């Protein structure tokens, strides 16, 4: 559901679903917040499909996601960006980093990374730097040993260990910056690089997404700075959880529009539920009712418990 391209000088917000499964109530709620904050501030609103990893993208899911977003009242400006068509842009960004000596090949498997020794206080999953300073002869041997269809992963040669960013909901946040993957060993460009390049490519200056992605933000802000790209405003939204406080998922029953419809719940009722969860006027069943209601302050109330 596209509206004419915006000419707003104030940048844009966006939503970027990954087509690995239908959107559940928590996903829809985050999309509503992103749309409301963009529209209320006079920004354009962009739609991007995070289908980089074609192995995880399921046929037809992206179309259902876009239809569900349109059904609850979300529109967007300009054409949809499909990340699977953006390889040239990611390669160009990686080349710019490589020209500055900021990229190196990595031959580690996930198991090797998991079992590698780390510096004290390094968080789980942070890359220990195994391939960072390998001699050329060792690199040649490791490259030759890669299996069929594999290429060396490309990693960023970071020169900081952490970075502080500001989030409109969570305030000052300091997180790890390690030698993040730019391109995986199967040749797929990595999320952290793609999101930075694509946000700039869509003039996005307000990034609204689930708070589970906050730990990745310092890495992305650092990458943006290295590429000479502006740092957007970050708004990380508290998640939807079940009665046990666990992140909402398909295991919790009917949590998607299609499954709820099978139980007799209308889309209009779902929208009313989303609006109520965000402090909208009693009985309102349009996302338009949330303009001026949803703010950074209003999002600090904690997770949404979906009973």
């Amino acid at each position: 559901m596209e509206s004419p391209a915006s000419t707003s000088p104030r940048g844009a917000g966006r939503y970027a679903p990954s087509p690995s499964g239908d959107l559940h109530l928590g996903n829809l709620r985050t999309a509503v917040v992103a749309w409301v904050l963009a529209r209320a501030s006079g920004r354009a609103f962009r739609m991007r499909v995070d289908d980089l990893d074609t192995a995880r993208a399921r046929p037809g899911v992206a179309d259902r996601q876009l239809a569900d977003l349109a059904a609850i009242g979300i529109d967007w400006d300009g054409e949809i960006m499909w990340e699977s068509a953006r390889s040239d842009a990611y390669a160009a960004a990686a080349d710019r980093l490589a020209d500055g000596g900021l990229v190196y090949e990595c031959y580690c498997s996930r198991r090797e990374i998991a079992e590698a020794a780390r510096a004290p206080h390094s968080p789980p999953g942070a890359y220990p730097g195994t391939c960072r300073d390998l001699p050329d002869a060792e690199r040649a041997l490791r490259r030759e040993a890669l299996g069929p269809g594999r290429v060396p992963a490309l990693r960023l040669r970071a020169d900081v260990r952490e970075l502080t960013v500001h989030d409109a909901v969570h305030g000052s946040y300091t997180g790890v910056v390690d030698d993040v993957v730019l391109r995986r060993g199967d040749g797929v460009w990595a999320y952290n690089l793609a999101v930075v390049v694509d946000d700039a490519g869509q003039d996005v200056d307000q990034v609204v997404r689930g708070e589970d992605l906050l730990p990745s933000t310092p890495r992305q802000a650092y990458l943006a700075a290295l590429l000479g790209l502006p740092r957007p405003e970050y708004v990380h939204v508290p998640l939807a959880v079940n009665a046990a406080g666990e992140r909402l998922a398909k295991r919790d029953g009917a949590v998607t529009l299609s499954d709820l419809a099978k139980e007799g719940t209308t889309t209009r009722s779902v929208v009313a539920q989303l609006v109520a969860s965000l402090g909208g006027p009693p009985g309102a069943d349009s996302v338009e009712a949330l303009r001026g209601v949803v703010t950074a302050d209003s999002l600090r109330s904690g997770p949404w418990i979906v009973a």
Side-chain angles (χ1 to χ4, degrees), residues 19-22 54-65:
S20 56
D22 289 350
T54 54
R56 293 182 65 244
R58 295 166 52 193
V61 170
D63 289 338
R64 293 201 302 273
Q65 290 178 334

Side-chain angles (χ1 to χ4, degrees), residues 3-302:
S3 60
S6 171
T7 58
S8 169
R10 297 193 58 191
R14 52 83 161 168
Y15 189 63
S18 177
S20 56
D22 289 350
L23 300 175
H24 60 59
L25 290 172
N27 304 137
L28 295 172
R29 185 174 186 260
T30 298
V32 168
V33 173
W35 181 87
V36 168
L37 291 180
R39 294 303 191 205
S41 63
R43 288 178 169 89
F45 190 69
R46 310 294 186 198
M47 187 62 62
R48 185 164 77 238
V49 177
D50 178 14
D51 63 339
L52 258 180
D53 192 344
T54 54
R56 293 182 65 244
R58 295 166 52 193
V61 170
D63 289 338
R64 293 201 302 273
Q65 290 178 334
L66 295 170
D68 284 352
L69 292 168
I72 64 172
I74 291 177
D75 62 352
W76 49 88
D77 302 298
E79 295 183 357
I80 297 167
M81 179 179 282
W82 297 81
E83 291 191 342
S84 57
R86 298 272 294 163
S87 292
D88 288 348
Y90 310 141
D95 286 346
R96 287 176 60 189
L97 295 170
D99 289 344
L102 299 175
V103 177
Y104 65 92
E105 292 183 351
C106 176
Y107 317 94
C108 297
S109 66
R110 291 184 179 179
R111 180 177 179 179
E112 289 171 328
I113 294 172
E115 295 177 350
R118 287 181 177 77
H121 311 302
S122 292
Y127 184 65
T130 307
C131 294
R132 184 180 177 110
D133 297 311
L134 289 178
D136 289 343
E138 177 68 14
R139 289 188 185 282
L141 289 173
R142 296 291 297 268
R143 191 182 299 116
E144 186 177 349
L146 291 173
R150 304 291 297 183
V151 294
L154 298 180
R155 286 189 179 273
L156 176 71
R157 188 181 296 275
D159 62 4
V160 302
R161 293 189 176 183
E162 62 181 24
L163 187 73
T164 299
V165 297
H166 178 77
D167 182 80
V169 175
H170 299 272
S172 181
Y173 176 83
T174 300
V176 170
V177 176
D178 59 356
D179 288 0
V180 65
V181 170
L182 303 174
R183 189 193 68 198
R184 300 182 342 194
D186 58 3
V188 175
W189 293 102
Y191 169 79
N192 282 309
L193 177 65
V195 71
V196 169
V197 172
D198 289 342
D199 280 342
Q202 289 188 304
D203 296 321
V204 169
D205 66 349
Q206 183 184 69
V207 170
V208 180
R209 56 194 178 190
E211 66 182 4
D212 56 320
L213 295 175
L214 182 57
S216 299
T217 305
R219 295 181 175 99
Q220 294 165 14
Y222 180 65
L223 261 176
L226 292 178
L227 291 167
L229 303 175
R231 183 185 297 187
E233 172 189 1
Y234 297 112
V235 185
H236 284 85
V237 181
L239 302 179
V241 299
N242 61 21
E246 301 168 328
R247 182 176 175 177
L248 195 69
K250 288 282 285 183
R251 65 171 180 271
D252 296 308
V255 292
T256 66
L257 284 188
S258 60
D259 287 343
L260 286 164
K262 292 174 185 176
E263 292 190 349
T265 303
T266 65
T267 298
R268 185 172 179 177
S269 295
V270 172
V271 174
Q273 183 182 10
L274 297 173
V275 170
S277 78
L278 291 165
D285 57 7
S286 168
V287 293
E288 290 282 352
L290 291 169
R291 293 200 193 210
V293 173
V294 177
T295 65
D297 286 340
S298 75
L299 294 170
R300 296 191 184 112
S301 58

